[in-house]
């Protein structure tokens, strides 16, 4: 296993994971923009050169917003998301970030457990954000 920053050369692996994991995945152009924007940081875990997990954030001044986190379905439940989150949070703290924000679907209990386990707290909720009866929990962590 190798954990490192994602770069433009990782585009195909990122697009592939997006398509596997999300109902509304980022397309190739969006993933390319995410990997090349100055205020973005993406970390990935690679197994035998294949991207199996990633997390991405947008950093604005002293606040980072988690954009996406995903682990290939065959590797879920093995602690990779937590490992990425903890490393990401340390990198952000070391670089002067004070707050980390995210939103999560209110019934995504696995993700909510991950985030609360990393110290995030719910600060608000957006009703019907993802559609009828699908609310977004807004969570924050102070580093």
């Amino acid at each position: 296993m190798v954990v490192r920053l994602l770069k433009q050369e990782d585009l195909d692996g990122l697009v592939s994971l997006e398509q596997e994991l999300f109902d509304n995945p980022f397309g190739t152009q969006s993933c390319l923009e995410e990997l090349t924007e100055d205020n973005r940081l993406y970390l990935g875990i690679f197994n035998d050169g294949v991207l199996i997990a990633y997390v991405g954030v947008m950093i604005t001044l002293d606040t980072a917003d988690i954009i996406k986190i995903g682990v290939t379905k065959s590797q879920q439940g093995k602690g990779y998301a937590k490992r990425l989150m903890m490393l990401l949070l340390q990198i952000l703290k070391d670089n002067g970030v004070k707050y980390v924000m995210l939103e999560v679907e209110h019934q995504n209990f696995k993700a909510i457990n991950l985030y609360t386990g990393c110290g995030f707290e719910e600060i608000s909720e957006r009703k019907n954000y993802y559609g009828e009866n699908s609310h977004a929990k807004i969570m924050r962590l102070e580093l």
Side-chain angles (χ1 to χ4, degrees), residues 76-127:
Q76 291 179 0
K78 297 182 179 180
Y80 295 128
K82 177 93 178 223
R83 181 175 175 189
L84 278 175
M85 285 292 292
M86 298 310 289
L87 179 57
L88 173 69
L89 295 174
Q90 188 60 55
I91 290 170
L92 293 172
K93 184 176 181 178
D94 291 348
N95 284 280
V97 171
K98 292 184 173 47
Y99 305 99
V100 184
M101 306 287 296
L102 62 84
E103 62 188 40
V104 59
E105 205 281 331
H106 78 287
Q107 293 182 327
N108 187 345
F109 301 114
K110 284 172 59 174
I112 292 167
N113 287 338
L114 168 67
Y115 302 139
T116 56
C118 291
F120 284 83
E121 296 178 349
E122 181 180 348
I123 59 170
S124 69
E125 183 173 84
R126 292 183 181 143
K127 298 284 186 191

Side-chain angles (χ1 to χ4, degrees), residues 34-88:
E34 288 296 313
L35 292 175
T36 56
E37 287 288 330
D38 289 340
N39 67 338
R40 304 293 201 273
L41 185 143
Y42 275 73
L43 286 175
I45 297 179
F46 293 81
N47 186 11
D48 293 328
V50 176
L51 181 65
I52 62 166
Y54 73 97
V55 61
V57 297
M58 176 177 66
I59 304 167
T60 307
L61 301 173
D62 67 350
T63 302
D65 291 283
I66 294 181
I67 298 168
K68 293 251 183 150
I69 184 166
V71 177
T72 190
K73 290 179 182 176
S74 67
Q75 298 297 315
Q76 291 179 0
K78 297 182 179 180
Y80 295 128
K82 177 93 178 223
R83 181 175 175 189
L84 278 175
M85 285 292 292
M86 298 310 289
L87 179 57
L88 173 69

